[in-house]
Amino acid sequence: MSKKVDLSVNYCGVQFLNPFMLSSSPVSNCAEMVARSFETGWAGVSYKTLVTDKIPIFHPSPRMHGYNYGDKRLVGLQNVEQTTDRGLKPNLRDITWLKKKYPKHIVMASIMGFCNQDWADLSKAVSDAGADLIELNFSCPHMTVEGSGAKVGQVHDLVQKFTETARSVTRVPLVAKMTPNISDINEPAMAAKRGGAKGLSAINTVAGLSEVGLDDFVPRPNVFGKGAISGYSGPAVKPVGLRCVAQMAQNKEHGLPISGMGGIETWVDALEYLLVGATTVQVTTGIIHYGYRIVEDMIEGLSDYMASKKITRVKDLVGKALPRLHETGDFDVKRQGIAKYDFDKCVGCGQCYIVCRDAGGSALEWDNGARRPIHDKDKCLSCMVCSFVCPVSGLINFKEMPKTWKRKETLTLG
Amino acid sequence: MDDGFSYDQALMEAERCLLCHEPPCSKGCPAKTDPGTFIRKFRMRNVTGAIRTIKENNILGGACGVLCPTCRLCEKECSATGIDKPIRIGKIQRFLIEHSWQVGFKTFDNPMSTDPGRQAEKIAIIGAGPAGLSCAAELAKSGYSVTIFEEREEAGGVLRYGVPSFRFSRSFLKNDLRDLEDLGVKIKCSSAIQKKGDVEKLLEQGFNAVFIGVGLWAPISLKKVPEDDSNIFSSVRFLETFRQEKFKELEKVCRGKIVAVIGGGSVAMDCARVALKLGAKDVNLIYRRSYSQMPAEPDEKIEALEEGIHFILLNQPTDYCRDSKGKLKGINLIRTRLAGADSKSGGSAAARGSGRRKPVEIPGSEWVMECDTAIEAIGNKAAADSGDWYPSVSVNSEMLVQADKETGQTNMEGIFAGGDIVRGPGTVVQAVADGKTAAKSIIGWLEKKRLKPAGYVSSRKEKKV
Ligand SMILES: Cc1cc2nc3c(=O)[nH]c(=O)nc-3n(C[C@H](O)[C@H](O)[C@H](O)COP(=O)(O)OP(=O)(O)OC[C@H]3O[C@@H](n4cnc5c(N)ncnc54)[C@H](O)[C@@H]3O)c2cc1C
Ligand SMILES: Cc1cc2nc3c(=O)[nH]c(=O)nc-3n(C[C@H](O)[C@H](O)[C@H](O)COP(=O)(O)O)c2cc1C
Ligand code: SF4
């Protein structure tokens, strides 16, 4: 058992036992699954996106494709899954059951309308079913139904209008789920705020194309001979997710609390989202990879971290990195450094030499006999590419140079 | 002692783990150290959690990471074997414990429970070996007052006075003992519980329960050898002298000498390797069966051979050979051949075989192997008078304490036992497991007694085992 730390947070006026939620996807498909996730430690769920029963939903088959890098599985996940393929009624019954069985756990109902009236009907229905929060899904990048998903999220007037519609029928706090597939994520965020949203969540999947079959020429997943640009998620999109959350958190104009997601697997990932401004975090691909059990490590890891830093409230971590997030123009470029080598640890592979010569400052020579690089400090660009490929952690580190130090000019031929 | 994994190595190895459902490795660990969980935690960057899992489940997690015969335990069950080779679980476990020292992470930084009822109950533990230490930790975690009585000057049992330092560095034991201190366990060293009825007396003196974990410290001898023969050692005396760092004493009989070690188990390997490290000219290890029947672990055997130890296989020592002054000059051997397997079951424990092929002496093949020093490593047994320390407790003909293996309960209410003194020669992890099990039974028993106190305490009844 980890050290006893209070991980509770308040998001949009709703109290969570901890910041960890399932995001809307197959991991939150029905009450039986969600209940098991609550038992494992998840504090809340964004329930798989509901639609009205007017248009039948069929998932393409197969609906996902795992993207591997070397022997690392699932660094990314490509999916063409649609909204829930279960009926509205059974889902509403499941939501009511969950709230009754787990009054302290939070159920956020994710909804998507295909017309203005749908947004009203769905908002009312999930409010009546007992949802604590409503997430408006303006952000699925691959809906097969016209006028839905990210197509809405990219048209700010519609974001405002549909939020207003939902607002007019319910007092349950509304959360607008944002797409990253847009140049300025704050525009739809502001539109949602104008429409009456109480919070934001991001990111939905990144429009992507992860792999192409070399024999069948079909982009993946191969749905009977056809591929499509569709939703990409998992560790590979974490940098995009962090960026979007930070940009929204930095925007003082709306000041809405954020639920962050995109590539979270560990407490470290989750903490990074908190530090750039998320109050709660959500997970799908991490669960697709490892199952609900990963929340145990998120809870224990975050608790131990907070205990070691003597931080008693999660709130105090939210946005803690933002004061240190600047425009690149603010950097002090007068301060310069180099890569510093600790050759005692060197195994002699020479990868640093290859990349420094071909992609860095060509600051390394190669001693063939000793199988060691020789570093010309004055040529070092501090690009640090050598340290990225070095197989020994901590062998190559960045070191600041005195202000008087001057880097050699790059050699000119001709 | 060899280096453990670096962070990079440990992570690389953990990355190979398949993070199985209902991890089979966890089922393979007698002490339920739960590698499936601690490796998953490590993978999920929950490093402190991984350390906590190990320490909470196994107070000697570091020692086990170094000493466990993992190829017969957790690693034997590893699913990754179906793809490549098993995950090196022991090495990861050892790394995590060493890492905890490096980063200063402590699992037990305050008393676990402050239940006054439990604090008032005192439990005595006899022997500070793996079984006793683990039992103590488990009880202290639950809030009981625990005192360990240890005969020797320092705690640790075989870990302190048996396993040589080149296989097991003192720092592991020191850190584990510090954890026990953090838990509030009192260890009284140089306090043997050895007089007639001493164990029962503890109960009369106000201890609510006793755990016996005294291990096996009496050598089994080839021939009656005088205790103080300066050239013939039991493995216990030889290794204990080494662990007490009385190197001069041992160098006298090893440096430049021919040393014979009798036996084919782990202890024999340890003795042989110590003798070689102390400068022996030749170390001949004599074993009556063949290489594959030697009970030592495969890697120990290879390491011993690589280091230069000679294996004299298929030879049975019959007696010592002395010069006119009575000084050892050789060992009388007779060659053997392997017959059919001896039977595993039936008969008394002593008569029962091991299921290995049986050595049969070849008539007329006697010879003398020259040596200056001999070390007998053919097994340890319970002290002949150990039955007297706890006369009310049933022991068998080998003086092993008769306790229920599932609960540690002996025939006497309030007296529990585990480790080698119950099972015969075993492993560290099995002793840890026994200590844990017994602690759970002790807690259950005390709890029950607290609920219905009357009549229970006054008449200490015998229980059927
Ligand atoms: C040389 C050697 C190498 C080994 N190597 C390995 C290995 O690599 N891996 C492995 O898993 N196992 C190994 N083992 C086996 C393992 O060490 C034992 O199975 C284990 O230590 C048993 O633990 P225990 O607590 O039952 O007994 P012990 O470790 O024997 O501890 C018993 C303790 O009780 C004390 N004691 C005895 N009598 C009294 C008394 N009357 N009053 C008070 N205290 C008393 C003793 O001094 C001792 O400290 C090895 C054993 C030996 C001898
Ligand atoms: C198979 C799959 C189905 C998804 N379905 C939905 C959905 O119905 N509604 C929604 O808002 N987001 C949906 N998402 C997006 C996730 O909720 C989440 O925003 C995204 O996957 C990024 O987080 P992750 O990297 O933790 O997966 C889906 C994602 C996946 C992989
Ligand atoms: S994960 Fe389960 S449901 Fe999905 S394809 Fe495999 S077996 Fe079928």
Side-chain angles (χ1 to χ4, degrees):
Chain A
M1 254 216 323
S2 59
K3 310 227 158 84
K4 280 267 172 300
V5 176
D6 177 13
L7 295 180
S8 66
V9 288
N10 189 296
Y11 173 71
C12 299
V14 175
Q15 195 68 17
F16 284 73
L17 295 168
N18 63 47
F20 308 119
M21 302 176 70
L22 310 181
S23 74
S24 176
S25 74
V27 307
S28 55
N29 195 50
C30 60
E32 186 275 330
M33 292 169 83
V34 174
R36 268 192 293 114
S37 85
F38 287 169
E39 297 291 343
T40 317
W42 298 91
V45 57
S46 170
Y47 197 89
K48 175 71 190 174
T49 303
L50 308 184
V51 289
T52 60
D53 284 334
K54 280 185 264 175
I55 299 173
I57 296 294
F58 294 104
H59 294 304
S61 179
R63 59 175 109 156
M64 296 188 222
H65 174 73
Y67 182 57
N68 302 340
Y69 182 78
D71 69 343
K72 292 254 182 305
R73 306 244 160 182
L74 229 52
V75 294
L77 176 69
Q78 182 100 32
N79 92 86
V80 292
E81 174 164 306
Q82 306 292 300
T83 50
T84 184
D85 59 351
R86 299 175 68 213
L88 181 59
K89 280 229 180 70
N91 276 320
L92 293 172
R93 288 219 312 271
D94 267 6
I95 288 174
T96 307
W97 181 88
L98 278 170
K99 273 317 292 180
K100 215 181 256 158
K101 181 98 197 285
Y102 298 96
K104 287 196 174 135
H105 289 70
I106 302 306
V107 178
M108 172 157 79
S110 168
I111 59 170
M112 185 193 289
F114 301 135
C115 63
N116 198 37
Q117 188 57 41
D118 279 4
W119 290 100
D121 294 348
L122 288 165
S123 300
K124 175 129 190 11
V126 296
S127 303
D128 293 346
D132 302 286
L133 291 162
I134 300 173
E135 188 173 52
L136 309 172
N137 183 348
F138 296 135
S139 44
C140 178
H142 48 250
M143 283 308 293
T144 51
V145 182
E146 262 312 310
S148 64
K151 293 175 189 110
V152 174
Q154 288 151 349
V155 183
H156 315 319
D157 292 349
L158 286 179
V159 168
Q160 181 171 341
K161 180 175 157 195
F162 293 154
T163 312
E164 277 165 359
T165 300
R167 173 78 300 148
S168 67
V169 300
T170 181
R171 300 181 67 83
V172 175
L174 303 176
V175 173
K177 185 166 180 180
M178 301 282 110
T179 176
N181 306 315
I182 190 163
S183 42
D184 180 3
I185 197 163
N186 276 312
E187 288 188 20
M190 286 304 298
K193 161 127 182 175
R194 287 194 297 276
K198 279 275 175 308
L200 300 168
S201 62
I203 55 175
N204 207 318
T205 47
V206 177
L209 199 169
S210 55
E211 253 173 323
V212 181
L214 300 190
D215 295 320
D216 55 22
F217 311 116
V218 182
R220 297 299 190 240
N222 175 347
V223 183
F224 296 104
K226 294 176 182 162
I229 288 174
S230 53
Y232 189 57
S233 60
V237 310
K238 192 180 88 173
V240 179
L242 281 175
R243 185 262 293 174
C244 289
V245 169
Q247 283 178 328
M248 292 193 296
Q250 274 182 321
N251 184 343
K252 297 274 179 327
E253 269 179 76
H254 61 66
L256 297 177
I258 301 161
S259 187
M261 77 200 91
I264 297 173
E265 288 184 342
T266 68
W267 69 272
V268 179
D269 306 322
L271 174 57
E272 286 171 324
Y273 270 93
L274 299 180
L275 293 174
V276 300
T279 305
T280 58
V281 293
Q282 304 185 24
V283 180
T284 283
T285 310
I287 298 168
I288 288 179
H289 196 164
Y290 301 108
Y292 294 137
R293 55 189 173 162
I294 58 175
V295 78
E296 292 167 14
D297 298 318
M298 295 188 177
I299 292 171
E300 194 173 26
L302 184 61
S303 300
D304 281 354
Y305 170 84
M306 287 173 61
S308 74
K309 295 267 186 234
K310 302 201 168 38
I311 292 171
T312 50
R313 299 175 308 179
V314 172
K315 203 168 101 177
D316 297 337
L317 291 166
V318 174
K320 217 174 158 51
L322 291 176
R324 292 174 182 77
L325 186 65
H326 293 270
E327 298 292 323
T328 50
D330 297 340
F331 289 153
D332 177 359
V333 292
K334 288 207 194 74
R335 292 176 72 172
Q336 290 288 330
I338 57 163
K340 190 172 174 294
Y341 286 69
D342 174 3
F343 286 116
D344 289 347
K345 296 181 180 166
C346 180
V347 297
C349 70
Q351 292 185 82
C352 52
Y353 170 69
I354 296 173
V355 300
C356 181
R357 199 155 72 131
D358 296 356
S362 302
L364 296 177
E365 294 289 324
W366 182 244
D367 177 343
N368 214 354
R371 288 202 64 83
R372 289 289 179 276
I374 302 160
H375 190 217
D376 181 349
K377 291 186 186 60
D378 293 344
K379 280 167 104 180
C380 178
L381 300 179
S382 72
C383 58
M384 303 307 289
V385 292
C386 51
S387 73
F388 309 150
V389 298
C390 178
V392 184
S393 298
L395 192 157
I396 309 176
N397 294 299
F398 177 77
K399 183 190 135 194
E400 184 171 4
M401 292 298 274
K403 286 242 166 63
T404 50
W405 175 74
K406 262 198 119 62
R407 188 173 281 123
K408 263 190 213 158
E409 299 260 329
T410 304
L411 183 74
T412 310
L413 297 182
Chain B
M1 187 180 175
D2 64 339
D3 281 343
F5 272 166
S6 66
Y7 197 98
D8 285 350
Q9 283 175 296
L11 198 60
M12 232 186 326
E13 193 62 13
E15 287 282 351
R16 294 206 301 119
C17 173
L18 308 181
L19 304 178
C20 298
H21 174 59
E22 291 178 359
C25 54
S26 291
K27 296 199 182 114
C29 175
K32 303 201 168 60
T33 312
D34 200 0
T37 298
F38 74 69
I39 296 178
R40 184 201 82 204
K41 289 187 172 191
F42 182 38
R43 272 278 290 278
M44 291 293 146
R45 303 181 70 172
N46 176 12
V47 186
T48 47
I51 296 163
R52 182 178 289 118
T53 296
I54 298 173
K55 285 302 281 194
E56 280 184 351
N57 290 329
N58 181 343
I59 189 80
L60 297 178
C64 285
V66 177
L67 295 175
C68 274
T70 48
C71 60
R72 293 197 268 126
L73 303 167
C74 49
E75 290 173 18
K76 180 166 168 235
E77 308 298 330
C78 177
S79 307
T81 314
I83 296 167
D84 183 11
K85 49 187 188 301
I87 310 299
R88 283 183 287 173
I89 296 169
K91 289 269 215 175
I92 296 178
Q93 184 172 317
R94 171 181 167 186
F95 161 77
L96 285 165
I97 295 301
E98 287 184 296
H99 186 71
S100 74
W101 310 338
Q102 225 169 45
V103 298
F105 176 79
K106 278 184 156 195
T107 301
F108 312 110
D109 53 359
N110 46 6
M112 292 276 133
S113 153
T114 46
D115 176 339
R118 288 181 168 189
Q119 273 173 351
E121 283 174 321
K122 299 195 301 172
I123 294 136
I125 305 230
I126 322 298
L133 295 174
S134 127
C135 186
E138 206 62 22
L139 289 164
K141 276 193 282 181
S142 304
Y144 292 92
S145 303
V146 186
T147 309
I148 306 183
F149 297 91
E150 166 58 48
E151 172 187 357
R152 289 177 165 72
E153 276 173 21
E154 285 181 44
V158 172
L159 299 180
R160 175 64 190 86
Y161 292 104
V163 187
S165 42
F166 61 83
R167 265 206 315 124
F168 184 66
S169 122
R170 281 277 286 283
S171 50
F172 282 90
L173 188 57
K174 273 191 193 143
N175 280 287
D176 289 342
L177 291 173
R178 189 158 345 121
D179 289 333
L180 278 161
E181 214 173 276
D182 289 342
L183 282 168
V185 173
K186 289 185 279 297
I187 306 184
K188 292 194 170 172
C189 288
S190 308
S191 306
I193 300 295
Q194 248 164 4
K195 290 204 270 318
K196 200 169 169 76
D198 258 0
V199 168
E200 286 83 352
K201 269 187 213 139
L202 288 170
L203 288 171
E204 283 153 25
Q205 284 161 7
F207 283 97
N208 300 71
V210 179
F211 174 79
I212 303 171
V214 292
L216 308 170
W217 289 84
I220 297 174
S221 276
L222 186 64
K223 287 265 156 180
K224 269 246 165 299
V225 184
E227 263 286 300
D228 53 352
D229 188 309
S230 55
N231 295 93
I232 303 176
F233 286 79
S234 68
S235 61
V236 177
R237 180 156 72 98
F238 186 76
L239 293 174
E240 194 164 344
T241 313
F242 183 69
R243 289 309 309 255
Q244 289 165 334
E245 300 184 359
K246 297 179 186 162
F247 300 132
K248 286 248 158 61
E249 202 171 303
L250 294 181
E251 276 181 4
K252 239 183 5 219
V253 293
C254 289
R255 185 161 299 280
K257 305 275 160 95
I258 300 172
V259 179
V261 175
I262 302 168
S266 299
V267 179
M269 297 302 149
D270 281 347
C271 294
R273 293 169 71 186
V274 167
L276 200 69
K277 280 180 209 297
L278 289 170
K281 183 166 80 185
D282 282 293
V283 178
N284 298 324
L285 186 140
I286 302 157
Y287 182 57
R288 60 192 177 138
R289 291 180 163 104
S290 190
Y291 185 84
S292 65
Q293 286 91 23
M294 293 174 114
E297 301 302 327
D299 50 345
E300 287 176 317
K301 296 194 278 188
I302 306 258
E303 277 167 43
L305 283 173
E306 289 278 343
E307 284 169 17
I309 286 153
H310 318 301
F311 284 8
I312 314 283
L313 301 172
L314 294 166
N315 269 284
Q316 171 79 51
T318 53
D319 204 351
Y320 292 108
C321 181
R322 296 166 194 273
D323 65 16
S324 52
K325 288 184 213 121
K327 190 175 171 296
L328 182 74
K329 67 169 195 199
I331 300 185
N332 295 339
L333 298 175
I334 181 162
R335 289 192 47 214
T336 60
R337 62 176 177 81
L338 292 181
D342 52 15
S343 120
K344 241 186 193 167
S345 52
S348 73
R352 218 176 289 147
S354 55
R356 291 170 299 174
R357 290 180 68 190
K358 209 168 146 174
V360 179
E361 293 175 4
I362 301 171
S365 68
E366 294 85 353
W367 63 293
V368 178
M369 194 194 75
E370 187 195 335
C371 72
D372 306 299
T373 303
I375 305 164
E376 298 182 336
I378 45 180
N380 292 352
K381 57 185 183 189
D385 65 340
S386 57
D388 291 346
W389 311 342
Y390 28 79
S392 66
V393 175
S394 300
V395 296
N396 69 8
S397 56
E398 295 162 56
M399 306 308 286
L400 294 181
V401 170
Q402 299 296 89
D404 185 329
K405 298 222 171 51
E406 304 295 311
T407 63
Q409 172 74 57
T410 68
N411 62 312
M412 283 306 292
E413 211 153 297
I415 303 183
F416 298 76
D420 284 4
I421 191 62
V422 172
R423 293 178 188 264
T427 54
V428 176
V429 71
Q430 186 58 58
V432 169
D434 284 358
K436 264 175 83 172
T437 320
K440 293 215 176 85
S441 310
I442 292 172
I443 294 168
W445 179 71
L446 289 174
E447 220 102 278
K448 218 162 65 191
K449 217 169 66 164
R450 238 192 292 164
L451 288 181
K452 35 178 202 166
Y456 240 85
V457 206
S458 55
S459 69
R460 201 164 275 122
K461 295 184 301 250
E462 284 217 7
K463 262 183 119 179
K464 268 232 148 65
V465 177

